[in-house]
């Protein structure tokens, strides 16, 4: 089995659900207008001859502070033939709406025959960095989630580095 940890890092879940059953995980610590990477390990066998078509979805639902539904986004989805019995890391980038106060992660599968399992659900804020280079194409500074400055001597050797205020 895959490793697991605490929310919002990852939660171990393994499902074998039919007819759009789901589990929900609530995140209250996210920020509006923020991009997140939402991923999970997925595996399964979906019957392409299934009358339901067979499929799976990793979806985020958004609610305001009064628990009123706002919208949803799919981080990943697929049909028969998109999964194997080996674990695959599936997901994508989502962006929380401006007025979202809560996010609910839903893991769906729908089929009459076959199975889908989910594991290690991961929701992480996307961190952005701006990097600056000198005329010799050497990295001289980084700003954003991390700050750094790099200094070079006349021969182009880096002689000093300061990362997050530590030299």
């Amino acid at each position: 089995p895959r490793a697991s940890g605490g929310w919002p890092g990852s939660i171990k879940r393994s499902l074998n659900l039919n007819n759009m059953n789901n589990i929900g995980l609530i995140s209250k610590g996210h920020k509006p207008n923020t991009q997140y990477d939402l991923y999970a390990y997925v595996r399964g066998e979906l019957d392409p001859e299934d009358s339901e078509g067979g499929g799976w979805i990793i979806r985020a639902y958004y609610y305001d502070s009064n628990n009123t539904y706002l919208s949803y986004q799919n981080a990943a989805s697929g049909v028969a033939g998109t999964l194997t019995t080996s674990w695959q890391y599936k997901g994508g980038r989502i962006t929380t709406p401006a007025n979202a106060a809560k996010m609910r992660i839903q893991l769906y599968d729908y089929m009459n025959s076959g199975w889908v399992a989910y594991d290690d659900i991961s929701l992480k804020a996307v961190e952005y960095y701006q990097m600056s280079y000198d005329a010799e194409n050497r990295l001289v500074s980084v700003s954003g989630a991390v700050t750094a400055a790099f200094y070079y001597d006349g021969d182009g050797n880096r002689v000093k580095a300061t990362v997050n205020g530590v030299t």
Side-chain angles (χ1 to χ4, degrees), residues 109-131:
D109 61 62
Y110 50 96
M111 68 198 111
N112 287 324
S113 61
W115 60 275
V116 174
Y118 295 92
D119 207 352
D120 286 344
I121 303 155
S122 174
L123 178 68
K124 296 180 182 174
V126 176
E127 296 180 343
Y128 290 96
Y129 305 92
Q130 182 173 351
M131 295 183 270

Side-chain angles (χ1 to χ4, degrees), residues 11-118:
I11 291 181
K12 182 174 179 162
R13 295 285 187 214
S14 184
L15 309 177
N16 185 2
L17 304 173
N18 295 314
N19 301 321
M20 291 297 282
N21 290 321
N22 63 76
I23 64 166
L25 307 171
I26 299 291
S27 169
K28 296 180 183 177
H30 70 279
K31 298 176 185 175
N33 290 323
T34 301
Q35 290 187 330
Y36 289 86
D37 286 329
L38 173 57
Y39 283 83
Y41 283 94
V42 184
R43 67 182 181 142
E45 292 180 303
L46 299 173
D47 183 357
E49 303 300 320
D50 190 330
S51 62
E52 291 289 320
W56 58 274
I57 303 170
I58 300 172
R59 180 177 286 170
Y61 287 91
Y62 306 107
Y63 300 85
D64 67 13
S65 58
N66 296 316
N67 292 320
T68 303
Y69 167 76
L70 300 171
S71 63
Y72 75 86
Q73 288 178 306
N74 288 344
S77 63
V79 295
T82 60
L83 295 180
T84 68
T85 57
S86 298
W87 289 108
Q88 301 168 60
Y89 201 51
K90 302 278 190 174
R93 187 153 293 167
I94 59 174
T95 303
T96 54
N99 52 345
K102 296 178 184 174
M103 181 184 339
R104 182 178 183 88
I105 308 304
Q106 301 284 157
L107 306 173
Y108 290 111
D109 61 62
Y110 50 96
M111 68 198 111
N112 287 324
S113 61
W115 60 275
V116 174
Y118 295 92

Side-chain angles (χ1 to χ4, degrees), residues 143-156:
S143 61
V146 172
T147 59
F150 303 97
Y151 304 92
Y152 302 88
D153 64 17
D155 294 325

